[in-house]
């Protein structure tokens, strides 16, 4: 298969399995020689911040000289983002060759009515690639939940990392924080180390503490209050934590909290014998650039793309927007199974102009519904089916001292990023 055919094949597989469990991926991995059993992992779960935290840990390990694999979900710009080694995505030809080897095993299983999902296939292929490319360690981001996620086929990792937990995917994971936390804590394995996000909600933290104790894990939790913030703006932050002066290119105090989670994970690895200097940690964190995570596309006017897609993510973005002394325009599109009413109520009071759009997903919310929620707060509100029309509406009259935020779903991030980048390059 060529690269285009490879992606078509991958996307032709089921998105979700017909039944929960790890039996199918275990069978597939056994057919591939169980590469996951020959690798070391940092396993990262949570509702928000998984991608940023995973990237920070991976970057520091690479700076320290470890050949570091990174597995993330979902991708924003390019499918190959999902599999990286030392920050380099898997090559197109390499991905095609890899799937040419995995596909016959998937089809042999299908003949026995053992149906492999898209995520299971990608996860198995990634394990094989990381092993054959000689990775010293892999930073492994959970896809959904934790307990039954395909990545959870691994044994006890070097560290289990639990990022911020909030209400999301409630139909699948549960309707309370404790239920969702229980699913996330499925990645905690016996006799390991668990690192917890420092601003965890008490209800979720109680579950994490219980699972860590039951699995005889050392539980590590950073102290956000001990971080001395020296500088914070839309371009990132500079702060002191654990006697290290750290810099981030990603905005928001939630990213500082994610960085503290990453630092505590790296220090836990250091205690296990990993050669991780303060310099490697500093350089690793400073080097991370993450698409659609409060990504600044332009400084004048300020144009920010953020994949905030649930209430917790929107709360983090709202804190940034509220801190600005600017006229704010928002382009937002959300999925219908998210808490779009609360997200709209959170952002609307700060907005002078609002464009509602439909993300590229079957579960997309009708933009008219979103616009109707915002209009009582912001009279200059319109609903659009076209991304281009929404951008034209938002950009009209936008002054250098103003701000434009594009948010609501990662499913709109790729297209909006491409369109805005092209517009800004031609200005």
């Amino acid at each position: 298969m060529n690269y285009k055919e490879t992606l078509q094949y991958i996307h032709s597989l089921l998105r979700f399995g017909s039944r929960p469990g790890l039996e199918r991926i275990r069978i597939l991995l056994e057919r591939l020689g169980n590469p996951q059993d020959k690798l070391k992992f940092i396993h990262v779960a949570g509702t928000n911040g998984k991608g940023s935290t995973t990237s920070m840990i991976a970057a520091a390990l690479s700076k320290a000289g470890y050949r570091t694999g990174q597995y993330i979900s979902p991708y924003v710009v390019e499918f190959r983002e999902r599999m990286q080694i030392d920050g380099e995505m898997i090559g197109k030809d390499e991905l095609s060759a890899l799937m040419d080897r995995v596909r016959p095993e998937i089809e042999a299983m299908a003949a026995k009515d053992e149906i492999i999902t898209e995520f299971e296939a990608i996860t198995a292929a990634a394990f094989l690639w990381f092993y054959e490319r000689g990775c010293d360690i892999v930073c492994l981001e959970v896809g959904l939940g934790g307990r039954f996620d395909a990545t959870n086929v691994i044994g006890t990792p070097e560290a289990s990392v639990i990022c911020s937990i909030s209400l999301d995917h409630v139909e699948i994971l549960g309707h309370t924080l404790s239920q969702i936390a229980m699913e996330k804590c499925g990645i905690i394995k016996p006799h390991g180390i668990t690192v917890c996000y420092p601003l965890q909600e008490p209800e979720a933290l109680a579950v994490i503490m219980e699972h860590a104790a039951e699995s005889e894990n050392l539980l590590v939790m950073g102290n956000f209050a001990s971080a001395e913030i020296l500088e914070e703006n839309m371009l990132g932050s500079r702060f002191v934590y654990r006697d290290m002066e750290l810099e981030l290119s990603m905005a928001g105090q939630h990213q500082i909290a994610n960085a503290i989670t990453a630092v505590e994970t790296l220090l836990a690895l250091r205690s296990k014998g990993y050669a991780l200097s303060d310099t490697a940690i500093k350089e690793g964190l400073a080097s991370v650039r993450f698409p659609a995570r409060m990504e600044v596309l332009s400084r004048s006017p300020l144009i920010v793309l953020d994949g905030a897609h649930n209430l917790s993510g929107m709360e983090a973005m709202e804190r940034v927007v509220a801190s600005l002394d600017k006229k704010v325009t928002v382009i937002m599109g959300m999925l219908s199974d998210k808490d779009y009413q609360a997200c709209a109520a959170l952002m609307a009071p700060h907005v002078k102009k609002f464009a509602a759009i439909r993300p590229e997903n079957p579960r997309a919310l009708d933009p008219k519904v979103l616009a109707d929620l915002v209009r009582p707060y912001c009279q200059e509100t319109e609903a659009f089916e076209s991304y281009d029309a929404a951008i034209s509406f938002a950009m009209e009259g936008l002054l250098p001292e103003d701000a434009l935020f594009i948010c609501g779903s990662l499913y709109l991030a790729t297209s909006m990023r491409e369109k805005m980048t092209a517009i800004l390059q031609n200005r």
Side-chain angles (χ1 to χ4, degrees):
M1 296 184 291
N2 60 32
Y3 181 63
K4 182 178 179 181
E5 292 168 338
T6 297
L7 292 186
Q8 288 173 341
Y9 169 70
I10 290 170
H11 296 321
S12 73
L13 300 172
L14 289 174
R15 185 176 177 212
F16 298 114
S18 56
R19 62 188 187 280
L22 302 175
E23 297 85 359
R24 296 181 302 272
I25 191 167
R26 284 198 177 106
I27 294 170
L28 177 57
L29 285 166
E30 187 173 349
R31 298 178 75 101
L32 295 171
N34 284 318
Q36 79 284 0
D37 291 343
K38 304 158 191 172
L39 291 164
K40 294 180 179 180
F41 295 96
I42 304 295
H43 205 183
V44 184
T47 308
N48 293 96
K50 297 191 302 292
S52 300
T53 305
T54 302
S55 296
M56 292 179 200
I57 296 168
L61 284 164
S62 292
K63 292 290 184 182
Y66 292 97
R67 187 167 180 78
T68 306
Q70 185 178 354
Y71 183 65
I72 63 172
S73 175
Y75 68 92
V76 177
V77 179
E78 162 71 59
F79 181 86
R80 295 179 298 125
E81 291 172 31
R82 290 191 142 177
M83 304 180 206
Q84 303 176 37
I85 296 176
D86 292 333
E88 294 292 325
M89 296 184 292
I90 186 172
K92 291 182 178 180
D93 291 343
E94 198 169 10
L95 178 61
S96 297
L98 185 66
M99 289 308 300
D100 281 340
R101 295 169 57 197
V102 176
R103 181 174 182 171
E105 307 302 337
I106 293 173
E107 292 177 345
M109 289 179 63
K112 298 180 180 179
D113 200 29
E114 296 166 340
I115 307 302
I116 290 293
T117 67
E118 176 179 344
F119 189 72
E120 288 169 338
I122 301 163
T123 301
F127 287 154
L128 184 61
W129 185 58
F130 292 139
Y131 167 64
E132 294 187 343
R133 289 288 300 271
C135 286
D136 298 311
I137 193 166
V138 175
C139 295
L140 183 66
E141 181 184 342
V142 166
L144 176 66
R147 186 162 56 114
F148 292 127
D149 188 78
T151 62
N152 205 31
V153 73
I154 66 171
T156 300
E158 299 295 277
S160 301
V161 182
I162 309 294
C163 297
S164 174
I165 294 176
S166 60
L167 295 176
D168 199 12
H169 298 291
V170 293
E171 293 80 6
I172 301 172
L173 303 179
H175 289 80
T176 67
L177 280 182
S178 58
Q179 288 174 328
I180 293 174
M182 184 183 71
E183 294 296 328
K184 308 291 185 186
C185 287
I187 71 167
I188 298 175
K189 304 289 174 52
H191 310 295
I193 296 173
T194 297
V195 182
C196 181
Y197 179 77
L199 300 177
Q200 203 68 260
E201 292 290 337
E203 184 180 344
L205 179 58
V207 177
I208 296 167
M209 294 173 69
E210 181 181 354
H211 278 255
E214 288 177 351
S215 299
E216 298 183 60
N217 269 228
L218 171 66
L219 179 61
V220 178
M221 186 170 177
N223 182 1
F224 184 85
S226 71
E228 181 187 357
I229 300 175
L230 305 176
E231 184 179 2
E232 185 185 2
N233 55 45
M234 281 305 306
L235 302 179
S237 59
R238 188 166 56 88
F239 61 101
V240 176
Y241 184 74
R242 292 277 203 162
D243 296 324
M244 290 182 280
E245 185 172 317
L246 303 166
E247 293 185 15
L248 295 178
S249 65
M250 297 178 287
Q253 291 200 1
H254 63 292
Q255 291 293 6
I256 296 176
N258 291 335
I260 288 172
T261 309
V263 169
E264 293 294 349
T265 304
L266 293 162
L267 294 178
L269 292 179
R270 181 192 286 178
S271 72
K272 296 183 69 170
Y274 284 78
L276 281 159
S277 66
D278 286 0
T279 299
I281 293 173
K282 292 177 188 178
E283 291 180 353
L285 268 62
S287 71
V288 173
R289 305 287 187 276
F290 212 93
R293 301 298 195 277
M294 294 299 291
E295 181 182 11
V296 177
L297 303 179
S298 167
R299 298 189 184 188
S300 180
L302 178 65
I303 300 177
V304 178
L305 175 64
D306 188 62
H309 62 284
N310 54 32
L311 183 57
S312 178
M314 203 64 72
E315 286 172 342
M317 194 181 75
E318 186 268 344
R319 286 192 289 271
V320 174
V321 172
S323 70
L324 298 175
D325 184 21
K326 292 177 178 290
K327 177 182 175 182
V328 176
T329 297
V330 168
I331 299 176
M332 183 188 292
M334 296 201 67
L335 301 187
S336 59
D337 56 359
K338 303 296 181 181
D339 194 355
Y340 58 86
Q341 293 176 316
C343 290
L346 197 65
M347 291 300 300
H350 305 291
V351 176
K352 300 298 183 184
K353 194 174 184 181
F354 187 92
I357 57 176
R358 186 188 301 270
E360 298 167 322
N361 187 277
R363 295 178 287 131
L365 177 69
D366 184 339
K368 293 179 182 178
V369 173
L370 187 59
D372 287 344
L373 291 170
V374 173
R375 196 169 283 113
Y377 300 90
C378 174
Q379 290 186 346
E380 202 170 355
T381 295
E382 298 290 342
F384 298 93
E385 293 291 343
S386 162
Y387 284 12
D388 290 325
I391 291 171
S392 296
F393 170 79
M395 295 290 285
E396 184 179 0
L398 192 70
L399 301 176
E401 61 269 24
D402 295 339
L404 168 61
F405 286 78
I406 305 168
C407 61
S409 174
L410 282 170
Y411 290 103
L412 61 80
T414 300
S415 294
M416 292 299 286
R417 192 175 191 269
E418 291 174 354
K419 290 178 181 294
M420 289 305 306
T421 299
I423 289 170
L424 293 169
Q425 287 175 344
N426 293 327
R427 291 183 71 177

